[in-house]
Amino acid sequence: MVPSGDAERKVASRRSHRKSRLGCANCKRRRIKCDEKKPACTNCVRHAIHCDFLLPASQTSRASAGPSNSASPSEQLTPTEPSLADAATPMLPGSTPSPWMDTSTTPSSTQGPSGLDVAQLELFHHYCTSTAYTLYSLPGLQNFWRVNAPSIGFSHPFVLHGLLSMAASHLSRFDDERRDYFQRQMEHHWGIAIRTATSVISHVDSENAPALYLFAVVASFIALGRGPRPGDFLIFGDKGVCEHRVLFHTIKLLVETSKLDLIHGILAPTICPGGRRVTMVLEHDKIPEESEHLKELRLLLQEIEVKKDPNCKLYRQVATSLWVSYALVFDVDHAEGQLPTHGVFVWLFRLSDEFVECARQRKPVALVIFAHFCVLLHTLESSWWMKGWVYHLMSGIYKSLDREFRVWVQWPIEQIGWVPPTR
């Protein structure tokens, strides 16, 4: 007998269906089809949970033996609503993907017999007992980052994964034997965090604005903690827009669009102290004549004004803003041992795109102003996330200046203790 057309279609339909018993344990437990993609199936990636394809073979066989009554460790740390981690990392024109955002390498699970993920608990413990104390020196801010930030992360998983990634970055700087392991942990948690956050950032509201602000700050610490790379000048890069500039711009944008929600909400302890200090010195529209800070820079600005430099007004505005940061760091009273982190970064957040472009084009006056900012950065050199940046920036600035303008950066060079090359 010759099968009819309908029968043929039914047979073809049945034959095209690929059955497999090799799906991950999460999909089997939920009784849904697993596409078996490696290193993690699509369902686990979509729900931001740990896929047991990432486990070593011995652990995978145990995980797939049958359903478990306990939730997976990643499910205990992150909610399982769909589409949390569907978005791709946004890239700006001219920017390049960063290796630290690469999620192709994920750490193997260290799940113990109790069902707890020891690797995640180790990172969370280290964050609360160590990393949180290294971000700011003010006790109130330390308590906020140790207690309140993780609490916000329980409702917004991208914050929590960001904190775990930052803890892994911190550990990788000091544990030589496990440096590669912690770097993989950092990349794994950051991959989840960035995918989740980018799916939320296009819909900023009063509920998620504080979490997104925290996430941008965490991202800045992680980017700085990764250390400088060739061609990276913090505010610009040789290959276009640098990630630090994007992060600073994101923080500034969030503050401007959600200012009331931030300063009157849970983030008030982190935003208001810096804002009050800035208000104390913002009434000046130029570097005061009596100020000892930036004395030589003021003379340089007077010289280019006589020469009618077309960017003279821009340089004067940026230099005055830099003086504000100098006043916040060196003139405002601080308790002994407290690092004035807010004062240092005020200048970066207020920096205009026009000045950044002048610096990127290696215009000498812009580079001289930037060199004077390095003196402020040097006050944070003891922080693990700032190691190596000051000398890296000063070296790049010095190489970009001709002999006429190198004399104008002698004071910053002496202040930070950097030694120029002899040739």
Side-chain angles (χ1 to χ4, degrees), residues 331-346:
D331 293 345
V332 177
D333 291 336
H334 302 283
E336 184 177 355
Q338 291 184 357
L339 299 177
T341 311
H342 276 113
V344 173
F345 288 105
V346 162

Side-chain angles (χ1 to χ4, degrees), residues 144-164:
F144 174 88
W145 283 94
R146 182 176 59 87
V147 178
N148 299 77
S151 179
I152 294 174
F154 295 140
S155 300
H156 300 275
F158 55 87
V159 172
L160 191 58
H161 281 287
L163 298 180
L164 295 180

Side-chain angles (χ1 to χ4, degrees), residues 270-290:
T270 70
I271 296 178
C272 293
R276 285 194 293 267
R277 290 188 175 95
V278 173
T279 304
M280 295 170 60
V281 291
L282 271 185
E283 62 266 16
H284 296 278
D285 59 357
K286 63 179 181 178
I287 304 175
E289 294 291 336
E290 69 276 7

